[in-house]
Amino acid sequence: MSFGYLIRRIITSIPTVLFVAFVVFIIIHLVPGDVVDMMLGTQNYLTQEQIQELYKQYGLDKPLIVQFGVWLKNLVTLDFGTSLRSGKKVAALIVDRFPVTLELSILSMFFATIIGIPLGIIAAIKKNSFTDGLVRVIGLVGLSSPSFWVGAILIVVFAGLFKGFNIFGYVHMQEDFLKNLQVMFLPSLTLGLMLSAQIMRMTRSSMLDVLQQEYIKTAKAKGVSYSKLIGKHALKNALIPIVTLSGIQLGYLLAGTIVIENMFALPGLGRLLLQAVNERDYPVIQFVVMFIALIIVALNIVVDFIYTLIDPRVELK
């Protein structure tokens, strides 16, 4: 990957990230109620003057476009703001919560790949057989099942079969590595099962396309062993669309773990974002969305780089 290509990708990504931040800013301000309403609740003993003073204190008395401009100005100076509810620095909240979401995403992708890729290969090799049909049905069920339903089923099953299994009660990896993995197992398996269905379908489709290529038929005619034919020649050339999908899915995981993190009481970015939306904590919402958008942009660039490692014929210009 050339340095010029990297710079161009970064520059062209800036308007996208800012547009996403602006849209989220507008949408969250259109939601009925604001942070002052959330703080006062139904028992309001403040005068109108005191309420207006609160709006001024939080900078909510200015027009929306001015508020957004102030936020952008602070962003340029690396001032990511302070939570309106907790009073903590938003950057500190991200640093504290992001490792949980990152661990959950990596473990979920691990389960998704070790389940999805082998099943996709088997389905492609056994095309139009009973095995192929069974794998495709499993994939369809995986695509159709909502994550909260899969998670609830796994909680019931593991709670019933394994009495001492730690399902809830997050423990940091530094405190107890094994207990951390045990607590993270079910949520990551839940997400992994969902994503494995997509990876399986993409692997099957990509493998079927590659297996029809002339060089595969030539390798067969030369007597190349079947395992080497599949593992070295076919799978390697089928990986590009799989890597693309995996990169997109990893970005989705970082942005879309809200349901699972709340279901399993994990203190990650998803749970932080949901709490911020409920409390109308605008600085937290804005920076979490910006942070996730930046990660997704970075993942897309990394995926482009991986292309060149998988297939040297791919040039990034």
Side-chain angles (χ1 to χ4, degrees):
M1 182 185 294
S2 66
F3 182 73
Y5 173 82
L6 179 62
I7 295 299
R8 286 195 300 273
R9 283 296 303 271
I10 292 174
I11 293 174
T12 55
S13 299
I14 292 175
T16 302
V17 174
L18 292 178
F19 178 74
V20 170
F22 178 73
V23 170
V24 172
F25 183 88
I26 295 299
I27 290 176
I28 191 60
H29 279 81
L30 291 177
V31 176
D34 52 39
V35 65
V36 175
D37 294 328
M38 299 297 108
M39 293 172 63
L40 296 178
T42 57
Q43 302 296 321
N44 180 15
Y45 300 105
L46 300 182
T47 64
Q48 193 63 34
E49 290 75 16
Q50 290 172 320
I51 293 175
Q52 289 302 319
E53 184 62 30
L54 281 176
Y55 278 102
K56 185 176 180 180
Q57 177 182 338
Y58 291 123
L60 302 177
D61 58 328
K62 301 179 178 65
L64 290 183
I65 192 66
V66 175
Q67 294 182 41
F68 185 72
V70 170
W71 181 77
L72 282 182
K73 179 184 176 182
N74 292 337
L75 194 65
V76 172
T77 59
L78 301 182
D79 180 6
F80 305 126
T82 303
S83 169
L84 301 180
R85 297 291 289 183
S86 66
K88 296 180 180 178
K89 290 292 184 181
V90 176
L93 291 174
I94 300 293
V95 170
D96 183 53
R97 301 294 189 98
F98 179 62
V100 180
T101 300
L102 181 62
E103 182 186 359
L104 175 60
S105 300
I106 292 174
L107 289 175
S108 299
M109 284 305 303
F110 170 75
F111 283 119
T113 52
I114 65 171
I115 295 172
I117 292 180
L119 286 179
I121 294 173
I122 292 171
I125 295 173
K126 305 285 188 180
K127 180 184 177 183
N128 295 330
S129 67
F130 173 79
T131 302
D132 180 29
L134 179 62
V135 171
R136 292 167 69 182
V137 169
I138 293 173
L140 184 61
V141 172
L143 290 172
S144 306
S145 304
S147 58
F148 64 85
W149 181 80
V150 175
I153 294 297
L154 289 177
I155 289 174
V156 172
V157 170
F158 274 77
L161 296 179
F162 308 100
K163 300 297 183 183
F165 193 86
N166 291 298
I167 298 176
F168 303 103
Y170 179 76
V171 176
H172 285 280
M173 188 178 292
Q174 297 87 338
E175 297 177 16
D176 192 328
F177 180 74
L178 292 179
K179 190 172 181 181
N180 170 269
L181 290 181
Q182 194 176 76
V183 171
M184 296 295 288
F185 176 74
L186 281 187
S188 56
L189 179 62
T190 300
L191 288 173
L193 288 173
M194 307 294 298
L195 299 178
S196 65
Q198 300 179 40
I199 291 180
M200 182 275 293
R201 290 166 64 90
M202 179 60 73
T203 303
R204 179 185 182 275
S205 175
S206 184
M207 283 290 293
L208 285 175
D209 182 59
V210 170
L211 290 173
Q212 300 300 318
Q213 301 297 319
E214 290 298 326
Y215 72 89
I216 295 292
K217 297 176 182 178
T218 302
K220 280 183 181 180
K222 289 183 176 181
V224 176
S225 65
Y226 199 66
S227 59
K228 187 176 181 181
L229 183 71
I230 297 297
K232 184 177 180 180
H233 297 285
L235 180 59
K236 184 177 180 180
N237 289 285
L239 278 178
I240 287 184
I242 300 171
V243 169
T244 302
L245 178 63
S246 298
I248 294 172
Q249 286 183 332
L250 185 56
Y252 159 78
L253 282 172
L254 292 170
T257 57
I258 296 176
V259 173
I260 296 302
E261 286 185 359
N262 277 274
M263 176 177 284
F264 290 92
L266 298 176
L269 279 185
R271 198 174 186 193
L272 174 65
L273 182 59
L274 181 62
Q275 290 172 346
V277 170
N278 290 334
E279 296 173 346
R280 308 297 189 271
D281 198 340
Y282 304 131
V284 175
I285 297 169
Q286 280 296 109
F287 189 63
V288 169
V289 172
M290 173 69 78
F291 182 72
I292 292 172
L294 289 173
I295 289 177
I296 292 175
V297 168
L299 283 173
N300 285 328
I301 296 175
V302 170
V303 167
D304 288 347
F305 175 69
I306 295 175
Y307 286 165
T308 63
L309 298 180
I310 297 175
D311 190 347
R313 296 173 298 177
V314 177
E315 295 184 6
L316 302 177
K317 297 180 180 180

